Amino acid sequence: GAGVSQSPSNKVTEKGKDVELRCDPISGHTALYWYRQRLGQGLEFLIYFQGNSAPDKSGLPSDRFSAERTGESVSTLTIQRTQQEDSAVYLCASSQLAGAYNEQFFGPGTRLTVL
Amino acid sequence: KNEVEQSPQNLTAQEGEFITINCSYSVGISALHWLQQHPGGGIVSLFMLSSGKKKHGRLIATINIQEKHSSLHITASHPRDSAVYICAVRSGEYGNKLVFGAGTILRVKS
């Protein structure tokens, strides 16, 4: 596709369950970023990938959060044992390279609601 | 204190007005981004700049590196400009990630 896609667009889950969120970046983009936006708050960085490796995981809020990327393409963000405070919109972005002067293209986000 | 400060937090304007949104940051940066987030959540990158000024249609972005300040201007504002405008910076001090301001909620009334 032409842009970054994410699935599912909406996810409602019960507290304690695991969820997987998927991001398909723009083809050929080597850098991929995950962000979180809680209701009424600003965007927070979670993790970024350069190729299949993650040089910066500093934004992951706890060890319940993990992410992987395969084939320098699709990335999955996994949240284990979800808590209500994990409710947020999870946004993925990709850029051609990871450098500072590379524009990031954002996906539509996955809205996660933990009951 | 946030690393990236935006002002105002909320802005209501009448159609046709000239609008300015400000962004200040506290560290040396390599690039500054202006993003637009529409109701429904989609985010679009408007500008990426490291010096000077950029213009795209009715939007103008300026940056003053010495003063650590950037402005986003909208000329001849229109109700379709209503959105959240977000400033974000990249700096060696933050690694390779974007650090975001809290956003400015703009509403343009017809």
Side-chain angles (χ1 to χ4, degrees):
Chain A
V4 178
S5 61
Q6 292 185 245
S7 60
S9 54
N10 278 283
K11 175 73 177 178
V12 179
T13 191
E14 292 179 349
K15 179 181 168 182
K17 299 278 176 117
D18 297 352
V19 295
E20 282 191 354
L21 311 179
R22 176 185 168 114
C23 172
D24 284 86
I26 292 173
S27 178
H29 280 194
T30 63
L32 185 149
Y33 305 80
W34 283 100
Y35 301 98
R36 177 171 76 171
Q37 187 174 35
R38 295 196 229 181
L39 186 64
Q41 298 188 22
L43 285 151
E44 306 170 71
F45 167 83
L46 297 178
I47 185 172
Y48 99 91
F49 289 89
Q50 175 61 49
N52 292 334
S53 63
D56 190 345
K57 307 177 184 180
S58 62
L60 294 178
S62 76
D63 59 8
R64 296 186 296 103
F65 287 71
S66 63
E68 64 175 17
R69 189 180 184 196
T70 56
E72 297 198 358
S73 179
V74 173
S75 176
T76 303
L77 177 70
T78 301
I79 310 173
Q80 295 178 308
R81 305 181 303 282
T82 51
Q83 303 293 312
Q84 287 180 332
E85 65 261 27
D86 299 334
S87 295
V89 175
Y90 289 83
L91 289 151
C92 173
S94 71
S95 64
Q96 199 160 21
L97 297 169
Y101 306 106
N102 286 269
E103 182 179 0
Q104 293 187 21
F105 295 84
F106 285 80
T110 293
R111 184 175 299 278
L112 175 65
T113 304
V114 182
L115 301 176
Chain B
K1 186 181 187 300
N2 290 338
E3 294 147 320
V4 181
E5 297 268 1
Q6 284 187 239
S7 63
Q9 289 183 314
N10 286 277
L11 180 57
T12 299
Q14 205 62 39
E15 182 174 359
E17 285 185 1
F18 180 84
I19 289 162
T20 296
I21 299 170
N22 296 299
C23 175
S24 297
Y25 50 91
S26 55
V27 298
I29 65 167
S30 49
L32 183 144
H33 298 246
W34 281 102
L35 308 170
Q36 180 191 56
Q37 185 172 31
H38 275 283
I43 293 179
V44 174
S45 177
L46 298 175
F47 294 103
M48 181 179 59
L49 63 167
S50 55
S51 65
K53 174 178 169 179
K54 286 190 176 181
K55 184 175 189 292
H56 181 69
R58 294 181 294 105
L59 301 177
I60 303 166
T62 64
I63 188 168
N64 185 317
I65 296 295
Q66 288 74 30
E67 294 186 2
K68 295 185 170 61
H69 180 269
S70 175
S71 293
L72 176 69
H73 306 285
I74 305 175
T75 61
S77 59
H78 190 277
R80 65 175 174 268
D81 297 326
S82 299
V84 178
Y85 292 84
I86 302 167
C87 171
V89 301
R90 290 183 81 145
S91 168
E93 300 216 16
Y94 307 140
N96 210 9
K97 62 189 181 192
L98 285 173
V99 176
F100 298 87
T104 294
I105 302 171
L106 171 66
R107 180 180 169 217
V108 182
K109 298 193 290 186
S110 56

